[in-house]
Amino acid sequence: MKLSGTVLTKLADLAIDAATAAGEMIARSRPKEIERKSSGGSLASQVVTEVDRRSEAIILETLNPTLKRFELGLLTEEQPDDGGRFSADYFWCIDPIDGTLPFIEGTPGYAVSIALVRRDGSPTIGVVYDPVGETLIHAIAGEGAFQNGRPWDQPSPSGTVLSLFTDKSFLSGEERDQITSALEEIARDMGLTGLHVDASAGAVMNACNVLANPLACYLKLPKHNGGGSLWDYAGTACIFREAGSVATDIYGQCFALNRRESTLMCHRGILFATNEMLAQRIRTRFCPNQ
């Protein structure tokens, strides 16, 4: 069953209400309890706070009634995956706080992310609320992208540096030298003065920062353990598509946003880029045979 445009608009409005309410609560909160929910992966994937759980509860209070009414599935970071996303025509994909580490540290870089994804993995609605900037970005497939209710205004491709927005774990990771040297070379080839690296945010705000800059990217090379999950990328994938920017795996294929094997997303790498020209340069550098 394909949802009508009217229904998608209604669901997007509900997701906006849910993300905004959760984000406003987050903006007033500081974490009192920090839990370790797993022992593997990066620190960012291991920690959760009581504020994450409160945010999820606020979101679900608004969205739960839509599950039965519209026969939707549900995938949210803080609950086990029940597999309902494989039988429903659409499912909500929710990250109550992406960027928990910046939130714990009291620095910008965290956000609420809600997406509606089709069973085939197509992102259909994307909603991101930044509690620090009090900024809402959303998109509906075929309807465009919006910031605070106004059509998204893409920055003109003018600038002197290439920006890489990435996770804090990048700074101590094995990929750092390989990626930075390649991007510095790309910057030189483009006549830019250099590369600027910002490793202060989580995945959702990294993507939003790429979108807001004239020449920027967020890049992860393929790995089979870690690297982010569906809820980290589903919302911004929809927003990027509607804004005319690039959100693909490193080989240029659409994200597999409903794969059965795992919720992990980095098996084919991650690439967000301001435009296709920059994305193609990055793919040529890292995937020369593609």
Side-chain angles (χ1 to χ4, degrees), residues 120-173:
D120 66 3
S122 303
T124 305
I125 293 172
V127 175
V128 170
Y129 184 81
D130 169 14
V132 176
E134 298 181 350
T135 301
L136 177 83
I137 304 175
H138 85 278
I140 304 173
E143 299 295 332
F146 302 85
Q147 180 172 351
N148 294 333
R150 297 182 178 182
W152 178 262
D153 186 14
Q154 186 73 18
S156 59
S158 60
T160 59
V161 299
L162 173 61
S163 295
L164 169 66
F165 294 94
T166 188
D167 314 324
K168 184 174 289 188
S169 60
F170 173 82
L171 298 178
S172 57

Side-chain angles (χ1 to χ4, degrees), residues 104-278:
I104 291 171
E105 294 165 356
T107 60
Y110 52 92
V112 178
S113 180
I114 301 173
L116 185 72
V117 182
R118 293 194 70 171
R119 184 172 13 176
D120 66 3
S122 303
T124 305
I125 293 172
V127 175
V128 170
Y129 184 81
D130 169 14
V132 176
E134 298 181 350
T135 301
L136 177 83
I137 304 175
H138 85 278
I140 304 173
E143 299 295 332
F146 302 85
Q147 180 172 351
N148 294 333
R150 297 182 178 182
W152 178 262
D153 186 14
Q154 186 73 18
S156 59
S158 60
T160 59
V161 299
L162 173 61
S163 295
L164 169 66
F165 294 94
T166 188
D167 314 324
K168 184 174 289 188
S169 60
F170 173 82
L171 298 178
S172 57
E174 297 178 356
E175 299 176 349
R176 185 182 70 172
D177 291 344
Q178 179 186 4
I179 289 177
T180 53
S181 62
L183 292 180
E184 286 168 350
E185 181 179 332
I186 289 171
R188 288 194 297 270
D189 291 345
M190 295 176 67
L192 304 174
T193 58
L195 175 70
H196 169 71
V197 178
D198 185 323
S200 62
V204 171
M205 286 307 299
N206 279 331
C208 291
N209 288 333
V210 169
L211 203 61
N213 278 267
L215 280 172
C217 63
Y218 173 33
L219 170 65
K220 287 178 177 285
L221 300 184
K223 61 189 298 186
H224 292 284
N225 183 25
S229 294
L230 295 176
W231 44 78
D232 295 311
Y233 305 114
T236 48
C238 183
I239 292 168
F240 265 64
R241 179 179 293 185
E242 292 302 306
S245 293
V246 177
T248 67
D249 66 26
I250 195 68
Y251 305 102
Q253 300 300 309
C254 295
F255 290 143
L257 290 173
N258 197 23
R259 59 192 295 248
R260 287 184 175 272
E261 296 82 357
S262 174
T263 61
L264 295 175
M265 285 284 297
C266 206
H267 60 297
R268 289 177 56 86
I270 299 293
L271 176 59
F272 287 87
T274 305
N275 55 51
E276 181 59 36
M277 178 272 293
L278 174 59

Side-chain angles (χ1 to χ4, degrees), residues 29-50:
S29 305
R30 296 299 311 139
K32 298 176 182 178
E33 301 175 5
I34 301 172
E35 305 171 30
R36 289 288 185 99
K37 58 183 176 181
S38 67
S39 57
S42 67
L43 179 59
S45 68
Q46 297 172 30
V47 295
V48 63
T49 73
E50 82 284 357

Side-chain angles (χ1 to χ4, degrees), residues 61-84:
E61 183 178 8
T62 297
L63 298 187
N64 267 339
T66 68
L67 302 183
K68 183 176 181 180
R69 180 176 179 186
F70 299 104
E71 300 179 347
L72 307 178
L74 176 67
L75 177 68
T76 181
E77 181 177 11
E78 307 308 339
Q79 295 184 17
D81 180 5
D82 65 4

